[in-house]
Amino acid sequence: MCRCTCCGSHVPLYLLWEPCTACCTCWVTSFFHLCPSVFRMEEQDNTAGKKLQHQTRAEAPGTKSWQSQAYTLGAISNFMSTFLTFPIYKVVFRQQIHAVALSEAVKQLWHEGPQYFYRGIYPPLLSKTLQGTLLFGTYDSLLCFLSPVGPHSLGQRWTAGLMSGVVEAVALSPFERVQNVLQDARKQACFPSTFSILKEFNSYGLWGRLSLGYYRGFWPVLVRNSLGSALYFSFKDPIQDGLARQGLPHWVPALVSGSVNGTITCLILYPLMVLVANMQSHIGWQRMPSLWASAQDVWDTRGRKILLIYRGGSLIVLRSSVTWGLTTAIHDFLQRKAHTKKEMTD
């Protein structure tokens, strides 16, 4: 079946040469009916992928058809990507803390032995598993609230991404705090496990648990996550759409868009990552320095050189490329699958 270009009636394919009986105009213009109809069908075939892509991003956010299966697959993808890239992150963390070269950071981990190689992986496994569903779910809900019907403007994507980053920072900052303490070699003797760190935090008073314990270094985390999410969601779709016009397989634009966009975002905010790692690696009742004092200390210990601030940046490029590329590709696949299933049920 195809649609008549004059009256909108459905016409069988084998009757394309005949005028549409439901439209008197078609009797007069029967000769011109064939070409527009065939052209219209061919255009629909060539742009099916692009149309599905735009429909998916316009309808999937906030709809009830986005079932728990998508969250489950997102959790699995984040779990696996975190497990595979954790050794890279741990080397980067050592460079951020001790300001050493790549070879020296690898040598430290080698001397500590394989039993400590994946030390501190449980908090990031749990946090990253929650991060994918929380970050994308909050973003889609806020985007639907700002504009129920797409396409969405840059300002709307920026606002929704900014607020989803705020939610992410509030929910996941305690996991990152425990992870950074576990990965610091100077804390292995006093705090050998996650339980020992939680026991230390819970020994404080209510305000101490928040300010000195779970949410130490929260403000740079809040700035980093909110700006990072806003940048990522603002430019993810434009990059993906530009690549989709090149006729690439549907999974390639999402993979490349997430990889490139995530990498650039991480490099822009890398100094904040260094600041967070240094602030959150400390533990105890000692007087907590202010945010400015902590930033000044990091700047001084790096010899007041930008190059030393970005030590470890080469590995963060690799880790961000793999992690955000996989996350974006899987999320895009889930949206397509959900939209296709909705069309079949309708």
Side-chain angles (χ1 to χ4, degrees), residues 45-86:
D45 292 337
N46 291 338
T47 60
K50 185 183 296 185
K51 182 178 180 181
L52 177 61
Q53 181 179 6
H54 286 284
Q55 285 179 343
T56 299
R57 286 203 294 261
E59 297 178 11
T63 58
K64 296 181 180 179
S65 62
W66 189 248
Q67 299 177 356
S68 60
Q69 183 180 10
Y71 292 95
T72 302
L73 293 177
I76 294 175
S77 64
N78 279 272
F79 179 94
M80 296 188 65
S81 63
T82 302
F83 184 84
L84 293 175
T85 59
F86 182 77

Side-chain angles (χ1 to χ4, degrees), residues 53 239-240 242-254 256 336:
Q53 181 179 6
I239 296 176
Q240 183 174 341
L243 294 173
R245 298 189 188 98
Q246 307 302 320
L248 300 173
H250 65 83
W251 58 270
V252 175
V256 176
R336 287 173 174 273

Side-chain angles (χ1 to χ4, degrees), residues 120-232:
I121 192 175
Y122 295 111
L125 276 180
L126 182 57
S127 64
K128 293 299 182 182
T129 300
L130 294 175
Q131 181 190 31
T133 55
L134 180 62
L135 182 65
F136 284 99
T138 305
Y139 169 78
D140 290 345
S141 299
L142 291 172
L143 198 62
C144 182
F145 174 78
L146 294 173
S147 178
V149 180
H152 306 288
S153 64
L154 176 61
Q156 292 169 343
R157 297 197 304 270
W158 176 274
T159 303
L162 189 74
M163 296 306 298
S164 65
V166 171
V167 174
E168 178 194 7
V170 173
L172 302 181
S173 183
F175 295 100
E176 185 177 7
R177 165 70 161 135
V178 175
Q179 173 189 348
N180 285 335
V181 174
L182 284 172
Q183 292 183 135
D184 191 352
R186 299 169 294 186
K187 307 297 188 302
Q188 291 180 1
C190 297
F191 304 99
S193 65
T194 301
F195 177 77
S196 62
I197 298 175
L198 297 179
K199 185 178 180 180
E200 173 70 17
F201 290 167
N202 291 330
S203 66
Y204 306 157
L206 178 59
W207 178 250
R209 292 180 187 180
L210 298 177
S211 60
L212 298 177
Y214 297 105
Y215 283 94
R216 187 165 191 173
F218 173 72
W219 293 113
V221 171
L222 180 64
V223 175
R224 181 199 63 188
N225 287 16
S226 58
L227 289 181
S229 298
L231 290 171
Y232 172 77

Side-chain angles (χ1 to χ4, degrees), residues 270-281:
Y270 189 78
L272 281 176
M273 299 179 189
V274 177
L275 178 61
V276 169
N278 281 270
M279 291 186 67
Q280 292 190 340
S281 63

Side-chain angles (χ1 to χ4, degrees), residues 86-100 102 105 108-109 119 176-187 270 273-282 302 311-313 315-316 319:
F86 182 77
I88 302 175
Y89 178 82
K90 195 163 187 178
V91 173
V92 173
F93 179 82
R94 289 299 176 87
Q95 290 184 288
Q96 292 174 340
I97 290 295
H98 303 294
V100 296
L102 173 61
Q108 287 183 7
L109 296 175
R119 170 183 159 88
E176 185 177 7
R177 165 70 161 135
V178 175
Q179 173 189 348
N180 285 335
V181 174
L182 284 172
Q183 292 183 135
D184 191 352
R186 299 169 294 186
K187 307 297 188 302
Y270 189 78
M273 299 179 189
V274 177
L275 178 61
V276 169
N278 281 270
M279 291 186 67
Q280 292 190 340
S281 63
H282 297 289
R302 298 305 188 275
R311 174 164 280 175
L315 287 180
I316 208 70
R319 180 175 177 270

